Amino acid sequence: MSGKPKLEPFTTFASVAVPIDIANCDTDQIIPGRFLRKSADDPDYHRILLHDLRFKPDGSETDFVYNRPPYRGGRIFVADINWGCGSSREHAVSVLTANGVRSVIAPSFGDIHYNNCIKNGVLPIQLSSEDCATLRRQLRESPGAEIAVDLETQSLTGPDQTRYDFTIDAFDKHRLLNGLDDVGLTLAFEDEISAFKTKYAAKHDWAT
Amino acid sequence: MGKTLFHKIWDEHVIHEREDGNVLLYIDRHLTHDLHHRLFPLIKAQGLSVKEPDKLFGVPDHSVPTTAKTVDDIPEGEMRDTVVGLQKAADEYGFHHFGMTDDRHGIVHVVGPEQGITLPGITLVCGDSHTSTHGALGCIAFGIGSTEVQHVLATQTLWQRKPKTMRITVTGSLGFGVSGKDVILAVIRAIGAAGGTGYAIEYAGSAIDGMSMEGRMTLCNMTIEAGARFGLIAPDDKTITYCKGRPFAPTGAKWEQAEVYWRGLVSDTDAAFDHEITLDGDEIAPMVTWGNSPQWALPVTETVPDPARESDPLVQADMQASLDYMELKPGMALSEIKIDTVFIGACTNSRIEDLRAAAAVAKGRKAKTRTLVVPGSGLVKKQAEAEGLDTIFLEAGMEWREPGCSMCIALNGDMLAPGERAASTSNRNFRGRQGQGSRTHLLSPAMAAAAAVTGHLSDVRDLMKEERS
Ligand code: SF4
């Protein structure tokens, strides 16, 4: 299968990790709707991530965990159930990448956000609720502790050196490891697509 | 073994299947709105174009002020640029576009079914999570992200993993004052906001059969709030009657061909679902939400729950955070919650039946709160005006606006002030969704109108008792 690398390929990765103790953290919280018309080129784009949790209406900072050193700048988030539920806005991933976040670990993800992460080189890792709670507790207790992720072996190492294995769809893994973009992949299927269309039109003329 | 409705439609659209189970799907219809206007220059920069412009339909909705009738009425700035941006893309690539002065203009998920763009048996996508709405007509319709939107623009296909299937059967029939909104809030309460993650949900059972197309669209609309990208209902006589004669629906021999095919679109009796749930439709009461996730819903007759009664500490913390944000105390009656603003609209509940339900309650009464009524499309607006619903709303002291997303996402100037509390027929009660610091209670159009005329959350069944007997 062809396709050219477009994104930074994901290999092994270690970073300070940030515990986000919010269940059902929807994409409206990750990026409030009023910023949706902002271009990712905006120099202040990174400030939009979790904006209303991080900034007071007057623009000053709250004591939200991601504002506090040494968590600030952490490139791995450990979240709670249903991270990224709600709106399909891909900006919710752009604001993660604008802050250098490359992986989110959570017990479950909103389906659309999960796909959006994969398409932008952000690795969503699903671990059990208990494991995520343990990691968040360790990160709270040891600010600045790191997590190391290895996509090839589908495992990560927690702050206390415990190893956790995770599963990921083979195609998603392939995309992330190679930084591939789907359009590149699909263009190689041109012939198959036009053959399909001929067959489909013959059978479902009403739909074409 | 038999096939589910979902699998029947899915299998017809598979172009290529990989060994790992991922498939390349053909997409029959693609809807787009103003917030995607930046994606067109992006595909152009990659040397790509819109592959099948006749299958792409664009309509501005998120950024249109509900006080504006034309683009020129929108003040200069982001809002106007976004609406103009979509128009420009439509001109350049030649896809269908329903601009602000076109009666067919409205919220993308209202316009699709209304125009016959949405049909049973098709695959339909839009870069918007509530694309699940269209599944009410018996098709595979799902929300996608903007990278996927670009992929569909450039190829009219999409790589997908097949979801698991769940069937939710709603037995019995819905009581007086109970609508599709109450059913879906009861469903989300039962399975949780992540309960449907990874699934396509098919709704079935006598209560669903008895529902109007509008009610079914409300149900499928909020399926994404249960975590599932897809909600769908097998097409029946109602669906087929609904589609017939719509502008983009097939005609003549093509219609005959389609109808024969659509009639076979049911889950086989021996089809296996990965998960099955049954709800008693007779037991569902008018619902309201009290927290910041649609799963925090209760019958309006109940009280604000006490997190202390919850055994799971994570759930407890989540509930408490909601109560703090919403400024509510455990034990208070939900019907005591005072409301500042009522919003009747959004792709969840802005169709003609929704406006009729709200008008039935508003008729002869006066609103005690600021109340915005925003029809889902220009055609819904016209129909409502022909029926005199606008007069009822205006006489009740409510505002009758131009179609659009409006206060559902608060991107067009319609919004709540910090701390303000709304009873809203939209689909998300997330923190800040209707404006920074805003507080949202989700409910049906009839319940929203009841909140407007009483000034607090109220059981519409009590209010309508006299008229009923
Ligand atoms: S009405 Fe609300 S939920 Fe529906 S498309 Fe518009 S913003 Fe999205």
Side-chain angles (χ1 to χ4, degrees):
Chain A
M1 184 171 276
S2 67
K4 50 182 186 317
K6 202 179 163 198
L7 306 160
E8 190 186 342
F10 198 108
T11 48
T12 55
F13 184 72
S15 162
V16 167
V18 189
I20 310 274
D21 293 296
I22 303 172
N24 299 306
C25 186
D26 53 75
T27 54
D28 272 88
Q29 287 191 77
I30 300 174
I31 167 176
R34 61 185 188 280
F35 299 117
L36 289 182
R37 285 179 295 241
K38 266 224 173 343
S39 156
D41 303 333
D42 192 294
D44 277 337
Y45 200 70
H46 63 279
R47 280 174 61 94
I48 299 171
L49 173 62
L50 298 164
H51 185 278
D52 292 353
L53 292 160
R54 290 168 62 204
F55 299 99
K56 297 181 192 157
D58 65 7
S60 63
E61 289 192 5
T62 65
D63 69 346
F64 185 72
V65 58
Y66 189 58
N67 285 340
R68 301 198 301 259
Y71 296 114
R72 187 194 292 260
R75 299 182 67 189
I76 295 174
F77 281 5
V78 185
D80 200 352
I81 51 158
N82 214 12
W83 166 267
C85 61
S87 155
S88 60
R89 58 189 69 167
E90 200 157 313
H91 315 68
V93 186
S94 316
V95 289
L96 288 172
T97 53
N99 283 278
V101 177
R102 291 220 68 195
S103 180
V104 179
I105 303 166
S108 56
F109 294 82
D111 279 343
I112 306 176
H113 181 71
Y114 186 98
N115 288 342
N116 289 342
C117 284
I118 300 282
K119 310 271 156 136
N120 288 279
V122 172
L123 171 62
I125 299 177
Q126 210 173 343
L127 292 184
S128 72
S129 234
E130 294 72 34
D131 288 345
C132 289
T134 303
L135 288 172
R136 291 198 309 272
R137 180 176 48 74
Q138 290 171 348
L139 296 171
R140 278 195 307 269
E141 288 168 1
S142 322
E146 293 203 353
I147 289 179
V149 178
D150 184 348
L151 176 57
E152 188 63 61
T153 63
Q154 297 182 200
S155 65
L156 64 89
T157 311
D160 64 351
Q161 300 309 306
T162 302
R163 177 187 155 123
Y164 302 83
D165 293 319
F166 61 87
T167 56
I168 182 166
D169 178 85
F171 193 21
D172 288 345
K173 181 174 173 178
H174 172 77
R175 284 171 170 129
L176 286 168
L177 284 175
N178 300 291
L180 293 181
D181 136 58
D182 281 2
V183 175
L185 296 172
T186 308
L187 292 178
F189 286 85
E190 288 272 24
D191 293 348
E192 236 176 300
I193 295 172
S194 41
F196 171 89
K197 279 172 66 176
T198 311
K199 202 179 74 195
Y200 185 75
K203 193 171 173 196
H204 296 294
D205 195 19
W206 60 270
T208 57
Chain B
M1 189 162 49
K3 273 189 184 182
T4 66
L5 164 64
F6 184 85
H7 291 134
K8 284 183 183 176
I9 304 173
W10 179 274
D11 291 350
E12 285 300 304
H13 292 87
V14 174
I15 299 166
H16 178 89
E17 181 158 4
R18 284 169 51 96
E19 267 175 26
D20 56 28
N22 282 276
V23 304
L24 184 62
L25 272 190
Y26 186 68
I27 303 300
D28 290 311
R29 304 283 184 272
H30 183 188
L31 306 179
T32 192
H33 56 69
D34 50 301
L35 292 184
H36 299 137
H37 76 100
R38 282 213 176 90
L39 303 180
F40 294 92
L42 276 183
I43 60 162
K44 194 174 189 178
Q46 295 168 65
L48 302 165
S49 184
V50 177
K51 179 91 173 177
E52 297 196 50
D54 58 322
K55 297 194 169 160
L56 177 63
F57 298 80
V59 60
D61 52 9
H62 287 67
S63 304
V64 293
T66 52
T67 44
K69 285 190 193 292
T70 70
V71 175
D72 296 335
D73 294 342
I74 312 177
E76 297 266 353
E78 271 188 343
M79 253 189 256
R80 181 149 151 192
D81 294 347
T82 309
V83 174
V84 170
L86 181 68
Q87 172 73 64
K88 276 199 179 137
D91 293 344
E92 181 171 353
Y93 293 101
F95 58 84
H96 308 272
H97 178 262
F98 309 137
M100 287 175 68
T101 50
D102 190 321
D103 273 343
R104 299 173 295 176
H105 145 259
I107 308 171
V108 67
H109 308 309
V110 175
V111 171
E114 194 172 76
Q115 288 303 313
I117 298 163
T118 312
L119 295 169
I122 62 167
T123 49
L124 180 152
V125 297
C126 175
D128 190 282
S129 58
H130 293 104
T131 308
S132 57
T133 311
H134 307 259
L137 279 80
C139 60
I140 292 186
F142 55 105
I144 56 178
S146 53
T147 301
E148 292 180 310
V149 167
Q150 293 176 58
H151 190 277
V152 179
L153 288 175
T155 68
Q156 202 62 31
T157 68
L158 201 56
W159 288 99
Q160 288 290 300
R161 245 187 321 278
K162 194 190 276 189
K164 292 177 283 181
T165 54
M166 183 188 303
R167 177 161 57 192
I168 299 185
T169 305
V170 188
T171 59
S173 55
L174 304 181
F176 172 75
V178 180
S179 69
K181 186 61 153 282
D182 304 301
V183 176
I184 189 61
L185 287 173
V187 165
I188 302 167
R189 180 195 180 200
I191 70 173
T197 305
Y199 286 93
I201 298 182
E202 179 180 341
Y203 297 97
S206 55
I208 307 297
D209 297 341
M211 271 165 93
S212 64
M213 291 311 295
E214 284 90 346
R216 294 176 187 183
M217 287 186 226
T218 306
L219 187 63
C220 290
N221 176 278
M222 284 190 71
T223 300
I224 184 68
E225 308 312 328
R229 275 194 301 158
F230 317 80
L232 75 168
I233 297 169
D236 59 7
D237 287 341
K238 259 182 222 174
T239 320
I240 289 169
T241 310
Y242 178 90
C243 292
K244 192 155 195 174
R246 297 203 175 255
F248 290 90
T251 53
K254 285 191 182 185
W255 171 268
E256 309 290 325
Q257 184 200 21
E259 188 176 339
V260 171
Y261 175 63
W262 294 344
R263 297 235 177 239
L265 290 178
V266 284
S267 287
D268 294 328
T269 42
D270 57 343
F273 288 82
D274 296 300
H275 197 56
E276 293 240 32
I277 285 175
T278 302
L279 249 71
D280 183 352
D282 292 300
E283 291 293 310
I284 299 173
M287 305 284 287
V288 295
T289 66
W290 54 267
N292 299 117
S293 163
Q295 73 182 12
W296 299 133
L298 282 172
V300 64
T301 46
E302 297 206 9
T303 55
V304 176
D306 187 353
R309 295 235 182 112
E310 196 48 57
S311 53
D312 183 335
L314 291 174
V315 177
Q316 212 178 65
D318 185 24
M319 289 172 76
Q320 190 57 52
S322 267
L323 290 184
D324 293 344
Y325 183 86
M326 294 296 288
E327 222 174 46
L328 295 173
K329 292 266 175 296
M332 82 185 271
L334 289 168
S335 58
E336 277 171 22
I337 298 174
K338 289 210 163 49
I339 296 298
D340 305 307
T341 290
V342 170
F343 172 59
I344 299 171
C347 57
T348 328
N349 282 121
S350 61
R351 298 178 182 82
I352 190 68
E353 183 189 86
D354 302 314
L355 301 185
R356 287 183 193 137
V361 178
K363 191 169 185 174
R365 296 189 170 92
K366 287 275 180 239
K368 292 191 173 145
T369 65
R370 166 169 82 128
T371 304
L372 258 69
V373 187
V374 184
S377 73
L379 290 170
V380 170
K381 182 168 186 259
K382 261 196 159 167
Q383 173 74 26
E385 288 172 353
E387 295 178 19
L389 306 185
D390 57 328
T391 315
I392 295 176
F393 293 129
L394 291 168
E395 282 178 2
M398 300 172 172
E399 295 173 49
W400 178 241
R401 298 284 189 92
E402 296 298 320
C405 295
S406 181
M407 209 186 276
C408 172
I409 189 164
L411 276 180
N412 73 335
D414 300 336
M415 59 163 80
L416 299 175
E420 215 183 327
R421 188 183 298 277
S424 175
T425 67
S426 53
N427 40 39
R428 290 192 168 133
N429 51 3
F430 299 160
R431 292 174 178 84
R433 171 82 177 181
Q434 297 189 291
Q436 199 171 359
S438 61
R439 300 187 174 116
T440 305
H441 296 274
L442 303 176
L443 33 51
S444 75
M447 287 285 288
V453 299
T454 58
H456 53 86
L457 296 180
S458 308
D459 191 337
V460 67
R461 294 171 302 185
D462 296 340
L463 207 65
M464 298 299 280
K465 238 182 226 152
E466 299 134 48
E467 271 116 294
R468 200 186 168 205
S469 52

